Amino acid sequence: MGYPAARPARLRSLSDRGGATRHTLEAARDRTPRTQPPQGPARACGRRQSHPGVLGAARQHLRFEGDQSRAIELYGEAIRRDPQDPDSLFGRGKALLASGRAADAVRDLETVVEREPAHAFHGAALALAEAYEADGRDDKAERTYRAILGRTTVSAAYYGYARLLAKRGENDEARAQLESILAKQPGLPRYLRRQERPWVRKAKAMLKELA
C-alpha cells in the first residue's frame, strides 16, 4: 500500500499559518463580549431601552397582555418625547379606555381624530366612539359612528352603532345596521370574509336578541 505524498513545504506552511490564524480569530471571538438579546418586550422596558422600536413593541405587548397601567406609563414617556405622535396617543387612549378611564381616553383620542380622522384605518375614531359611549356621551358617540360610516363600511362601526341604538330602544334601526354587516359579505374576497367572521357571528347573535 502506498503512502500519500507529503505536501510541499510551502503549502504546508500556508496551511499551518491559516490554522493558526483561524485559532487566533476564534480565540478573539470567544473573548468578545456578546450582546444578549432582550428576553421579551417587558424585560426591555424594565431596562428603559431608548430604541423606539423596542419601546413600541413593549407598549403593544403590555397593552395586549393586559398590563394597561404599565402600557399607559410607557406611552406617556413616548408622548413626552413627541406630544404630537398619533400612534402613541392612540395607544394610550385605548389603554386608558381598557382601564375604565373613558374621560382620559377621550382626550387622547380626540387629539388623534381631529388631526387624522382615518388614523389606523378608522381605529382611532372607533375607539373614540366607544370612549364617548363609556363616558355617557351617547350623542357624541352616535355622531362619531355616523362620521365613520360616511367614509367606510367597516363592520366594527356598524356593530358599535347598532349596540348604541339598541341601548336606546331603537331596535329597527339597530337591526338595519347589523343587516348591513351580513349584506356586504358575499361581495368580499375570501380573505376578508375570514376576517369578518367574528363580526358576522356578533351581528347574528344581536339580531336574535332583537328579534
Side-chain angles (χ1 to χ4, degrees), residues 102-203:
D104 293 330
V106 164
R107 283 191 288 272
D108 280 351
L109 296 167
E110 278 182 337
T111 301
V112 177
V113 173
E114 284 170 4
R115 294 171 185 162
E116 299 181 24
H119 183 77
F121 301 99
H122 304 280
L126 283 164
L128 178 58
E130 292 175 11
Y132 280 140
E133 191 176 351
D135 199 38
R137 293 187 259 180
D138 287 358
D139 290 345
K140 283 198 168 187
E142 180 177 5
R143 286 197 294 272
T144 305
Y145 282 127
R146 284 182 174 274
I148 297 167
L149 291 170
R151 296 189 296 266
T152 183
T153 58
V154 61
S155 293
Y158 281 124
Y159 184 83
Y161 188 26
R163 183 185 58 219
L164 178 63
L165 291 166
K167 186 171 70 174
R168 298 196 313 215
E170 300 177 36
N171 291 353
D172 289 342
E173 183 59 27
R175 279 192 290 269
Q177 301 301 318
L178 296 169
E179 285 165 359
S180 295
I181 296 175
L182 305 181
K184 70 176 185 174
Q185 299 304 313
L188 295 176
R190 183 177 299 175
Y191 79 95
L192 282 179
R193 288 202 299 272
R194 285 196 297 270
Q195 294 177 14
E196 287 280 300
R197 285 173 188 166
W199 296 111
V200 170
R201 288 195 295 268
K202 288 183 176 183

Side-chain angles (χ1 to χ4, degrees), residues 80-99:
R80 281 191 290 275
R81 294 190 187 102
D82 182 3
Q84 310 301 319
D85 178 34
D87 291 328
S88 295
L89 288 164
F90 175 40
R92 188 172 71 173
K94 292 190 75 174
L96 287 165
L97 180 59
S99 299

Side-chain angles (χ1 to χ4, degrees), residues 2-58:
Y3 293 92
R7 289 179 296 174
R10 178 169 176 77
L11 289 178
R12 186 168 59 249
S13 174
L14 286 174
S15 174
D16 293 342
R17 233 185 355 242
T21 302
R22 184 175 66 251
H23 292 312
T24 301
L25 289 173
E26 289 173 354
R29 184 185 62 196
D30 290 340
R31 288 194 300 271
T32 302
R34 291 179 174 82
T35 301
Q36 295 297 326
Q39 297 179 11
R43 181 170 176 181
C45 295
R47 292 200 302 270
R48 302 286 183 177
Q49 297 289 331
S50 60
H51 192 284
V54 174
L55 282 175

